[in-house]
Amino acid sequence: MKDILDFTRQDLGEWFENKGIRRFRADQVFKWLYLKLAGSFEEMTDLGKALRGELAEHFFLGTLELENMETSVDATKKFLHRLADGEYVESVLIPEKEHYTLCVSTQAGCAMNCKFCLTAKTGFKRNLTMGEIVGQVRDARRFIAQQGIEPLFLSNIVFMGMGEPLANYDNLLRSLGVIFDTDFGMKFSRRKVTVSTSGIAPKIIQLGLDTEVNLAVSLNATDNELRSSLMPVNRTWPIEALLAACKEFEMKPRNKITFEYILMSGVNDSDAHAHDLVRLLSPIRAKVNLIPFNEHPQAPFKRPSRDRINAFLTILLNRNMTAIVRKSKGDDISAACGQLKAARIE
Ligand code: SAH
């Protein structure tokens, strides 16, 4: 038995053809899976009983089990998914003014070992399958549909959950195929999906060649010594290599790369750091998301004062850099940036 969510439309078409079934059946199944959000093969009524039976014999439909759901005071929801082999991942559903954003995980645990991030503390377990990645999106839309009266629409995805998306490149790319498929898939707009990376330079360039998606880069420091001490990935691809890859990243003329910069008190939040950041990013079509550090007991860092954050932001803005301070949501349920660790309720 295989998870049907692990199949691209191409894969499934071929599977059908090998069975002597016409491949447009795959398109029909995809509509049921990703548009009508079917929960079982039984529901796929226009397929005919025999074909539905055939599917149920060879496939199961999704593997994620919702183990727990927590709701923040700001209405952000954190889902804890149990995977088939007993590992856990989280995804976070964030209500915005007119839509939902879903923060999706790509790996169980993470191998990047960034010193400020709680997910790093669990170590790396494994890559998520395509089915486990698109399953998070499908389950979120199913959850919203069950809410009843005029729910917001899930239109935005950020690959900023657990794991390093570009270290699970193939499954990420296959998942994006379904996410962007406008005929039979989930019909997300390319402008509303963002892949965030800690800085795997060669994969950044590859991503721009293979698909069209927004890029975010977790920069967090302006010199190699500090960045390497915070983010070991910087020893392989130092800031110069990372920014060179960003320059090469193919995108539409008006698009910008988002640079995430966690502000940590006394570490990377001085006026000089702000000036360095402007200097580094000025040759790149960039915007900056400042993320005040979300404190947790497993890292020594502190969030700067409100005044310090504003002073840092003001320097960027005065130098004509597009920049915002990102509001952290779901902090009270450990759903904010860098706080996902899939703690099971004991
Ligand atoms: N591995 C990818 C995807 C995860 S995104 C990446 O690094 O981009 C998670 C974001 O949260 C990253 O931008 C990271 O820098 C930020 N982050 C991690 N821990 C944090 C913390 N404690 N407070 C605020 N932001 C944090």
Side-chain angles (χ1 to χ4, degrees):
M1 292 272 272
K2 289 184 168 158
D3 184 0
I4 199 160
L5 302 184
D6 275 336
F7 281 62
T8 63
R9 194 153 58 84
Q10 180 80 10
D11 291 342
L12 196 61
E14 274 160 29
W15 188 87
F16 277 127
E17 250 175 9
N18 287 335
K19 292 240 152 216
I21 302 166
R22 290 202 289 158
R23 62 183 307 144
F24 83 93
R25 292 294 187 184
D27 301 346
Q28 271 180 303
V29 172
F30 255 55
K31 278 194 174 170
W32 280 107
L33 292 174
Y34 297 109
L35 286 172
K36 295 181 238 179
L37 304 173
S40 71
F41 298 117
E42 288 302 285
E43 292 168 41
M44 305 182 178
T45 42
D46 59 356
L47 291 183
K49 218 175 160 66
L51 189 50
R52 277 180 277 154
E54 182 94 0
L55 287 172
E57 207 175 290
H58 290 91
F59 298 104
F60 40 80
L61 203 178
T63 57
L64 300 179
E65 275 189 47
L66 186 59
E67 171 108 357
N68 191 33
M69 189 190 81
E70 286 174 85
T71 306
S72 158
V73 289
D74 64 30
T76 296
K77 287 186 157 53
K78 185 172 76 170
F79 301 95
L80 177 65
H81 308 279
R82 186 180 198 277
L83 311 180
D85 60 356
E87 297 295 345
Y88 289 88
V89 291
E90 292 175 329
S91 50
V92 181
L93 186 63
I94 307 153
E96 320 263 8
K97 274 202 196 83
E98 292 174 341
H99 66 267
Y100 282 110
T101 298
L102 186 70
C103 180
V104 172
S105 294
T106 52
Q107 298 180 316
C110 187
M112 305 314 290
N113 202 16
C114 300
K115 299 306 170 208
F116 42 77
C117 182
L118 198 51
T119 303
K121 307 295 174 197
T122 61
F124 176 67
K125 301 291 175 21
R126 65 170 173 83
N127 280 334
L128 298 192
T129 63
M130 173 188 173
E132 289 164 343
I133 296 172
V134 297
Q136 292 171 63
V137 185
R138 231 181 68 93
D139 284 2
R141 278 198 169 159
R142 281 168 58 83
F143 172 82
I144 292 165
Q146 286 158 9
Q147 298 303 292
I149 37 167
E150 291 189 53
L152 301 174
F153 185 58
L154 171 52
S155 59
N156 294 47
I157 296 175
V158 290
F159 284 91
M160 297 184 184
M162 303 171 73
E164 167 52 50
L166 299 189
N168 186 9
Y169 189 79
D170 291 345
N171 290 337
L172 172 73
L173 207 63
R174 287 154 58 86
S175 301
L176 288 175
V178 174
I179 286 166
F180 290 135
D181 185 339
T182 47
D183 297 318
F184 308 100
M186 297 204 267
K187 295 185 193 256
F188 278 83
S189 155
R190 292 193 181 263
R191 286 175 293 112
K192 296 185 175 171
V193 178
T194 301
V195 171
S196 180
T197 179
S198 58
I200 302 185
K203 286 281 161 48
I204 287 176
I205 299 171
Q206 192 64 43
L207 184 70
L209 297 174
D210 287 340
T211 187
E212 187 192 328
V213 66
N214 297 318
L215 178 68
V217 174
S218 300
L219 188 61
N220 296 334
T222 52
D223 67 86
N224 282 320
E225 196 186 335
L226 178 60
R227 192 162 189 272
S228 292
S229 73
L230 295 171
M231 304 179 71
V233 66
N234 195 68
R235 295 188 199 130
T236 312
W237 295 288
I239 292 174
E240 301 71 42
L242 174 57
L243 296 183
C246 290
K247 261 193 203 160
E248 242 184 89
F249 178 73
E250 263 186 42
M251 57 183 178
K252 288 261 168 67
R254 262 176 299 170
N255 280 11
K256 288 178 173 169
I257 298 175
T258 301
F259 287 85
E260 295 153 292
Y261 191 95
I262 308 175
L263 285 168
M264 292 172 274
S265 181
V267 175
N268 64 353
D269 66 338
S270 71
D271 286 358
H273 289 122
H275 287 290
D276 286 346
L277 188 57
V278 173
R279 183 180 46 76
L280 278 180
L281 296 184
S282 60
I284 295 175
R285 297 209 307 275
K287 56 184 172 191
V288 175
N289 269 8
L290 299 174
I291 317 174
F293 182 69
N294 293 312
E295 296 180 10
H296 57 82
Q298 296 201 52
F301 309 111
K302 295 275 170 256
R303 173 181 290 220
S305 69
R306 193 175 283 267
D307 285 351
R308 181 84 302 262
I309 294 168
N310 283 335
F312 197 100
L313 175 67
T314 303
I315 291 173
L316 302 187
L317 295 177
N318 285 345
R319 308 283 294 280
N320 291 323
M321 179 67 73
T322 309
I324 57 156
V325 176
R326 190 195 284 170
K327 275 184 278 159
S328 259
K329 293 210 173 167
D331 193 31
D332 55 323
I333 54 166
S334 292
C337 303
Q339 294 190 323
L340 301 184
K341 72 154 192 208
R344 243 188 333 143
I345 7 48
E346 300 298 336

